[in-house]
């Protein structure tokens, strides 16, 4: 049997519509209205705030903000990625530990993972889990392009784990996350469910959430304002299965979700309920492993998640950089070809200038450190889908790993915004 990489970073960075602050709600008390606007201002979202439903979003902020603290040491980061070499885990785990995060990291790795991977993860106090592939999925019948049933056991899009053979792996990962949380009674505070291979950290995400007043039971994260839910990744599966049009709304990434322990467990329960609906209907068995993102968006925009708050792009602890990164890489590839140089030399002119790996015109990095930043100039706590930069980021990434991610702890008395000025 061929080696399978159980990694779920295939969610192409999607375009998101420009957003606005919801209007006042009729019937709210003046105190509630004031409270909502204070919370919105604290999150630096102002006119960029977008909600699946204005009333629901305001209610969620009022409800979710009753608790405003997470203890990072009691928080957990969960991911499912097997079959990778040590340097992948060094990027994900190494960058997270370098922020000072001392909480739980729970990762699935290959049962036959190399010794250097296992020893490194032990050194980093990572809880290791194993996920084995089932010989075959226990049901069949996905519909392909011409309405012809697909043999799921012949499709590259359908791999099922031994523990949950009724679910393709991109769905069953959520059930594993629930199992792992239930096995971790000390994981009491914040939780992140995340892709692994294409993500790294620059700050402790739970500390960042507290500092930004973004401690909510469930946070979903918008992708770039240049893509939205009319993209085929959401429109096609949701239309085929639910006969529902999401319309032009911000695309939400299912590869990075954050919330409280209780909020995340509720989120997984709702996802599982919808998985069961899709499993039972032939027109919902889409031959696409990314349809967990379709479901994620459908459930949010139909108000199925409890107390869910949508965090605008580059305004929270998780920054989904993929869409913009891919466009930058495309443009750089053309520039390099026209200039007759390699893609790795198009922006970094000499080895001493590796920190300024992107031109300032993009406004994406702190040029003194190379850290990727939010719109306010502060480092993005987690950067997701960074691989879309291709080799443009390689020199900086390699130096950061070699030096132990030296900029992942903020020096007292300075901010990234100040260093750029």
């Amino acid at each position: 049997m061929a080696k399978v990489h159980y990694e779920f970073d295939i969610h192409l960075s999607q375009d998101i519509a420009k957003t606005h602050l919801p209007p006042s709600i009729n019937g709210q008390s003046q105190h509630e209205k004031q409270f909502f606007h204070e919370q919105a201002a604290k999150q630096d979202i102002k006119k960029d705030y977008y909600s699946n439903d204005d009333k629901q979003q305001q209610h969620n902020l009022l409800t979710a903000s009753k608790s405003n603290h997470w203890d990072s040491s009691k928080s957990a980061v969960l991911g499912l990625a097997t079959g990778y070499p040590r340097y992948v885990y060094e990027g994900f785990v190494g960058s997270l530990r370098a922020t000072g995060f001392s909480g739980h990291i729970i990762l699935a790795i290959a049962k036959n993972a190399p010794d250097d991977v296992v020893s490194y993860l032990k050194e980093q106090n990572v809880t290791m889990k194993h996920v084995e592939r089932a010989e075959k999925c226990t049901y069949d019948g996905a519909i392909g392009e011409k309405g012809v049933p697909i043999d799921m056991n012949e499709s590259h899009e359908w791999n099922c784990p031994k523990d949950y053979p009724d679910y393709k792996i991109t769905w069953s990962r959520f059930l594993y996350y629930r199992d792992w949380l239930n096995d971790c009674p000390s994981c009491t505070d914040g939780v992140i469910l995340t892709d692994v291979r294409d993500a790294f950290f620059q700050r402790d995400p739970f500390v960042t959430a507290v500092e930004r007043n973004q401690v909510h039971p469930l946070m979903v994260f918008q992708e770039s304002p240049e893509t939205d839910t009319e993209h085929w990744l959401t429109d096609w599966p949701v239309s085929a299965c639910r006969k529902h049009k999401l319309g032009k709304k911000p695309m939400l990434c299912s590869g990075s979700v954050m919330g409280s322990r209780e909020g995340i467990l509720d989120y997984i329960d709702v996802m599982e309920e919808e998985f069961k609906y899709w499993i039972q209907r032939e027109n919902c068995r889409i031959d696409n492993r990314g349809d967990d993102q379709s479901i994620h968006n459908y459930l949010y925009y139909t108000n199925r998640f409890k107390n869910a708050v949508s965090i605008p792009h580059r305004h929270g602890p998780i920054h989904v950089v993929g869409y913009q990164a891919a466009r930058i890489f495309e443009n750089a590839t053309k520039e390099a070809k026209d200039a007759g140089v390699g893609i790795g030399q198009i922006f970094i002119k000499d080895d001493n200038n590796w920190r300024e790996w992107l031109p300032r015109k993009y406004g994406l990095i702190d040029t003194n450190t190379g850290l990727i930043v939010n719109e306010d100039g502060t480092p993005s706590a987690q950067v997701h889908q960074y691989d879309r930069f291709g080799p443009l980021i390689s020199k900086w990434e390699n130096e950061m790993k070699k030096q132990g991610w030296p900029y992942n702890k903020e020096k007292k008395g300075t901010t990234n915004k100040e260093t750029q000025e």
Side-chain angles (χ1 to χ4, degrees), residues 282-409:
E282 195 171 69
N283 59 300
C284 298
R285 296 177 189 171
I286 309 297
D287 191 38
N288 184 309
R289 57 181 170 174
D291 58 4
D292 61 298
Q293 181 145 314
S294 316
I295 292 170
H296 175 80
N297 279 267
Y298 171 72
L299 293 174
Y300 176 76
Y301 288 116
T302 54
N303 296 315
R304 294 270 298 281
F305 294 136
K306 290 192 291 186
N307 298 320
V309 175
S310 174
I311 305 298
H313 183 61
R314 295 184 72 189
H315 282 84
I318 293 174
H319 177 181
V320 186
V321 75
Y323 187 93
Q324 190 172 7
R327 303 292 80 74
I328 291 172
F329 175 67
E330 288 174 4
N331 292 334
T333 300
K334 184 177 184 304
E335 289 180 41
K337 183 178 180 181
D338 292 343
V341 299
I343 186 69
Q345 289 79 48
I346 190 63
F347 294 148
I348 299 178
K349 305 304 182 184
D350 62 75
D351 289 344
N352 294 324
N353 197 35
W354 60 269
R355 293 173 187 83
E356 193 169 348
W357 60 275
L358 275 185
R360 299 188 182 203
K361 65 181 180 180
Y362 293 116
L364 266 180
I365 67 168
D366 173 353
T367 54
N368 291 303
T369 63
L371 296 177
I372 294 173
V373 297
N374 281 356
E375 283 194 2
D376 61 5
T378 60
S380 306
Q382 188 203 52
V383 179
H384 183 203
Q385 297 182 351
Y386 79 93
D387 62 326
R388 294 355 181 233
F389 284 114
L392 296 175
I393 198 173
S394 297
K395 176 68 175 175
W396 178 84
E397 180 187 6
N398 291 336
E399 286 292 337
M400 292 294 281
K401 287 179 181 177
K402 186 190 305 180
Q403 298 183 29
W405 302 89
Y407 305 121
N408 278 17
K409 285 185 181 178

Side-chain angles (χ1 to χ4, degrees), residues 145-355:
E145 294 179 18
K146 300 179 180 179
V148 178
I150 292 171
D151 181 351
M152 294 180 186
N153 298 299
E154 296 296 327
S155 170
H156 295 296
E157 302 295 329
W158 290 81
N159 295 304
C160 302
K162 187 179 291 186
D163 296 315
Y164 295 105
D166 281 349
Y167 297 89
K168 52 185 171 182
I169 191 68
T170 48
W171 292 2
S172 60
R173 60 172 169 157
F174 294 98
L175 310 187
Y176 279 113
Y177 294 152
R178 182 174 59 196
D179 293 342
W180 301 345
L181 276 177
N182 287 332
D183 288 342
C184 182
S186 57
C187 299
T188 58
D189 285 34
V191 176
I192 291 178
L193 312 179
T194 180
D195 293 343
V196 174
R197 185 190 58 80
D198 64 345
F200 62 82
F201 295 84
Q202 304 180 134
R203 290 291 184 270
D204 184 321
F206 304 102
V207 171
T208 298
V210 171
E211 290 175 346
R212 300 182 72 92
N213 289 286
Q214 291 177 326
V215 176
H216 303 300
L218 179 62
M219 289 186 283
V220 293
F221 294 89
Q222 298 177 14
E223 297 196 15
S224 167
E226 300 173 71
T227 188
D228 56 53
T229 51
E230 289 185 338
H231 189 281
W232 64 264
L233 184 59
T234 45
D235 183 65
W236 163 44
V238 172
S239 298
C241 178
R242 281 296 195 169
K243 312 302 180 188
H244 178 85
K245 286 288 186 182
L246 291 173
K248 197 176 184 67
K249 295 182 173 67
M251 178 68 81
L252 308 172
C253 180
S254 63
S256 291
V257 183
M258 188 175 189
S260 66
R261 177 190 175 95
E262 295 77 14
I264 289 294
L265 289 173
D266 285 342
Y267 164 79
I268 295 171
D269 287 344
V270 175
M271 289 287 280
E272 182 186 23
E273 181 182 5
E274 189 67 13
F275 293 156
K276 289 178 178 177
Y277 180 94
W278 288 50
I279 282 173
Q280 293 166 3
R281 290 160 177 80
E282 195 171 69
N283 59 300
C284 298
R285 296 177 189 171
I286 309 297
D287 191 38
N288 184 309
R289 57 181 170 174
D291 58 4
D292 61 298
Q293 181 145 314
S294 316
I295 292 170
H296 175 80
N297 279 267
Y298 171 72
L299 293 174
Y300 176 76
Y301 288 116
T302 54
N303 296 315
R304 294 270 298 281
F305 294 136
K306 290 192 291 186
N307 298 320
V309 175
S310 174
I311 305 298
H313 183 61
R314 295 184 72 189
H315 282 84
I318 293 174
H319 177 181
V320 186
V321 75
Y323 187 93
Q324 190 172 7
R327 303 292 80 74
I328 291 172
F329 175 67
E330 288 174 4
N331 292 334
T333 300
K334 184 177 184 304
E335 289 180 41
K337 183 178 180 181
D338 292 343
V341 299
I343 186 69
Q345 289 79 48
I346 190 63
F347 294 148
I348 299 178
K349 305 304 182 184
D350 62 75
D351 289 344
N352 294 324
N353 197 35
W354 60 269
R355 293 173 187 83

Side-chain angles (χ1 to χ4, degrees), residues 17-73:
K18 292 292 183 183
T19 59
H20 64 279
L21 181 69
S24 303
I25 297 177
N26 293 328
Q28 269 190 321
S29 70
Q30 190 60 38
H31 172 73
E32 288 176 322
K33 291 178 184 178
Q34 181 180 355
F35 180 87
F36 168 77
H37 287 287
E38 287 175 354
Q39 292 302 310
K42 286 178 181 178
Q43 294 186 54
D44 295 324
I45 55 181
K46 301 179 182 178
K47 292 183 180 180
D48 290 321
Y49 204 87
Y50 189 99
S51 167
N52 59 321
D53 178 85
D54 290 344
K55 286 186 179 182
Q56 186 65 40
Q57 184 79 349
Q58 291 200 26
H59 168 76
N60 291 349
L61 277 171
L62 288 165
T63 302
S65 298
K66 290 179 181 177
S67 172
N68 60 0
H69 182 72
W70 283 329
D71 183 338
S72 180
S73 67

